[in-house]
Amino acid sequence: MSVIEIKVPDIGDFKDVAVIEIMVKPGDPIRLEQSLVTVESDKAAMEIPSSHAGVLKELKVKVGDKVNIGDLLAILEGAATVASLAPAAAPASPAALPTPELAAVALPPVAVAPASATPALPAHNPTALQLQLPHASPSVRKFARELGVPLHELKGRGLKGRITEADVQSFTRSVMSGAVQTAAAAAQSRSAGGNDGAGLGLLPWPVVDFAKFGPIERKDRSRIKKISAANLHRNWVMIPHVTNHDDADITDLEAFRVATNRENEKSGIKVTMLAFLIKACVAALKKFPDFNASIDGEQLVLKQYFHIGFAADTPNGLMVPVIRDVDQKGIFQISQEMGELAKKARDGKLSPAEMSGAGFTISSLGGIGGRYFTPIINAPEVAILGVCKSTMEPVWDGKAFQPRLMLPLSLSWDHRVIDGASAARFNVYLGQILGDFRRVLL
Ligand code: CAO
């Protein structure tokens, strides 16, 4: 019989979060990933799951305690199973996002629920922001999920504004009787006609009976796709995007990459063009700091760190893992981390921390194809680089056409922060670096 210590996992950028609920008691049999306690920051409530299975011997926290990453939560007795706290694929849950980033959408090792500490809301508030809402216990959240009740639209009438089972029942009754309409239903009826495009004076969304024209199939959109869609939509509508296209001559860099992979075959690390691009972008961000920035009210926040996000295509949808401190890393380390993060993304195991903090993002379709595209900026960043497949092209050298390997680059930028001349210079400089990496040393 082994004794296992359960500690607070990485819960994102939260410090001194209060324990608000204990969900187990000594003697209870504990399943792997069973929620043990609920903690609450000023932004969100979240359940902390057990990293092991066993029998609960002792709880090391009580309601009201403040905890941080690494603090001892509980002691279990039993055979250890999986030591990792990596989350399983995101369960269907109405969980709120820990951050508003483009595709920081995988659930953390815990389900995140809206927190309290908000001004009183009406019993039903379909326009309320999720992060400002009252919270509910896991069983009430489960109950609401089963009924399809949007918890964030309810005002809790329980202790400290908590949503109770009775609140969920009464909301369901009101919807059934037609007394209230959920935000989703309201949006649907708006898009079905009579809507002026959220005040933009637009035509209503076309409502078409597709089945009239031929056989169709309906399928649910995945949770990650719905969340990233909402983020992409906001970013596309709110940011005045412009995209500059350019080409970089990577003939010599590609030869170097191929030779490097050949020489390091045994290392098991494959270097792709994306690793060089990530490194080259850092050189360009150092030269053009406005591209590694965010708008904050009247100010521009210029980041002195170089964390680069890269879009990863996963079965569940688009995700953007982040490689930190790229300026301090070599191509092999970047390649290795990229491989690990991409695998985690595909397995649905990225933590919120691994998807946050980027100052600039690269979206590479180079392994697939295409020429150019217009990537959507990953707010609150102000620029994103799209990359497509390199092709051999005839390039005039002043005397003759030479076969050169050309990489298509598409840089989208926020016109509130960046202007066209800077964007063109950024692309030119990036092309020069990719053309001759020794320039990074200058
Ligand atoms: N030109 C030509 N070939 C390229 C290339 C480029 N720009 N970039 C990559 N390749 C090649 C690689 O060398 C590799 O070749 P081999 O199989 O012969 O070794 C192949 O294409 C596949 O590369 P990869 O995609 O596995 O690796 P990567 O490092 O380039 O990209 C990752 C990793 C995770 C970013 C990628 O797999 C991915 O998910 N891309 C999609 C991103 C996306 O969806 N963007 C759109 C976002 S907006 O909706």
Side-chain angles (χ1 to χ4, degrees):
M1 186 74 64
S2 57
V3 171
I4 306 150
E5 292 189 337
I6 308 293
K7 295 186 175 168
V8 177
D10 185 355
I11 50 175
D13 282 341
F14 300 115
K15 287 212 168 53
D16 293 330
V17 288
V19 176
I20 58 161
E21 186 178 17
I22 305 277
M23 299 152 84
V24 287
K25 57 180 185 324
D28 281 358
I30 305 293
R31 294 184 315 280
L32 177 69
E33 302 216 339
Q34 177 178 346
S35 296
L36 301 177
V37 300
T38 306
V39 295
E40 184 183 66
S41 73
D42 55 346
K43 292 212 182 98
M46 57 195 94
E47 291 166 24
I48 298 197
S50 178
S51 52
H52 292 74
V55 173
L56 183 64
K57 189 165 170 241
E58 201 181 339
L59 265 166
K60 291 291 189 185
V61 291
K62 55 184 186 317
V63 170
D65 283 357
K66 299 275 169 67
V67 295
N68 287 292
I69 178 170
D71 286 354
L72 186 58
L73 271 186
I75 294 183
L76 299 192
E77 263 179 351
T81 51
V82 181
S84 161
L85 255 184
S93 147
L97 278 177
T99 68
E101 289 166 79
L102 163 64
V105 290
L107 279 178
V110 291
V112 180
S116 62
T118 59
L121 294 164
H124 171 233
N125 185 356
T127 58
L129 284 173
Q130 291 206 17
L131 285 177
Q132 296 175 326
L133 295 166
H135 56 261
S137 74
S139 60
V140 170
R141 284 205 291 277
K142 183 164 178 281
F143 181 52
R145 260 201 311 277
E146 282 164 5
L147 292 176
V149 168
L151 259 195
H152 55 277
E153 293 183 27
L154 272 68
K155 181 198 167 193
R157 294 176 197 281
L159 195 67
K160 289 191 189 167
R162 284 199 139 206
I163 297 170
T164 63
E165 196 167 310
D167 292 328
V168 176
Q169 284 167 337
S170 102
F171 179 81
T172 310
R173 273 196 295 273
S174 308
V175 171
M176 297 304 288
S177 69
V180 298
Q181 204 180 20
T182 62
Q188 207 170 9
S189 61
R190 276 201 305 276
S191 59
N195 173 34
D196 68 353
L200 295 175
L202 303 175
L203 287 174
W205 193 257
V207 181
V208 177
D209 175 11
F210 301 103
K212 236 171 48 184
F213 303 105
I216 58 164
E217 182 201 338
R218 287 187 181 271
K219 64 177 187 180
D220 290 334
R221 293 156 70 211
S222 80
R223 180 174 172 274
I224 288 178
K225 281 207 165 153
K226 280 193 274 191
I227 296 173
S228 64
N231 281 276
L232 287 162
H233 190 186
R234 177 204 55 207
N235 298 348
W236 194 75
V237 168
M238 291 185 70
I239 302 173
H241 282 74
V242 184
T243 306
N244 282 36
H245 303 289
D246 210 337
D247 295 314
D249 184 336
I250 56 163
T251 317
D252 298 338
L253 185 57
E254 173 65 4
F256 177 67
R257 185 188 77 84
V258 171
T260 304
N261 277 337
R262 203 179 301 125
E263 281 164 22
N264 292 281
E265 219 164 358
K266 288 198 184 113
S267 73
I269 302 173
K270 192 177 92 177
V271 175
T272 62
M273 194 47 70
L274 186 52
F276 287 103
L277 273 159
I278 289 173
K279 194 75 187 167
C281 279
V282 168
L285 293 174
K286 283 186 178 171
K287 195 169 168 71
F288 301 97
D290 283 2
F291 288 75
N292 189 23
S294 288
I295 292 180
D296 186 11
E298 298 301 306
Q299 293 188 315
L300 190 65
V301 179
L302 294 154
K303 294 155 199 172
Q304 286 163 5
Y305 49 81
F306 298 91
H307 304 336
I308 308 293
F310 65 96
D313 184 28
T314 81
N316 288 323
L318 176 66
M319 312 209 77
V320 186
V322 179
I323 304 183
R324 309 194 107 73
D325 300 312
V326 173
D327 55 320
Q328 295 161 35
K329 291 175 181 167
I331 294 294
F332 285 122
Q333 191 176 350
I334 294 170
S335 299
Q336 187 172 9
E337 285 186 28
M338 202 165 66
E340 287 164 4
L341 287 167
K343 180 172 185 320
K344 273 189 170 184
R346 283 193 292 270
D347 294 347
K349 289 186 174 169
L350 280 177
S351 70
E354 287 166 322
M355 292 184 283
S356 57
F360 183 84
T361 293
I362 302 180
S363 176
S364 172
L365 296 174
I368 304 169
R371 291 294 286 169
Y372 304 96
F373 67 114
T374 53
I376 296 178
I377 296 167
N378 186 11
E381 295 157 38
V382 294
I384 180 169
L385 181 73
V387 181
C388 284
K389 195 177 176 71
S390 54
T391 48
M392 202 52 98
E393 288 176 21
V395 176
W396 185 252
D397 71 357
K399 290 187 189 131
F401 282 105
Q402 301 292 346
R404 304 297 295 177
L405 187 64
M406 305 304 287
L407 181 71
L409 305 173
S410 302
L411 179 74
S412 292
W413 40 278
D414 184 335
H415 213 332
R416 294 171 300 177
V417 177
I418 293 160
D419 54 35
S422 313
R425 286 191 194 103
F426 185 101
N427 270 350
V428 167
Y429 183 68
L430 188 61
Q432 287 171 342
I433 301 274
L434 293 168
D436 186 346
F437 237 83
R438 289 172 302 181
R439 284 176 186 273
V440 169
L441 303 170
L442 298 177

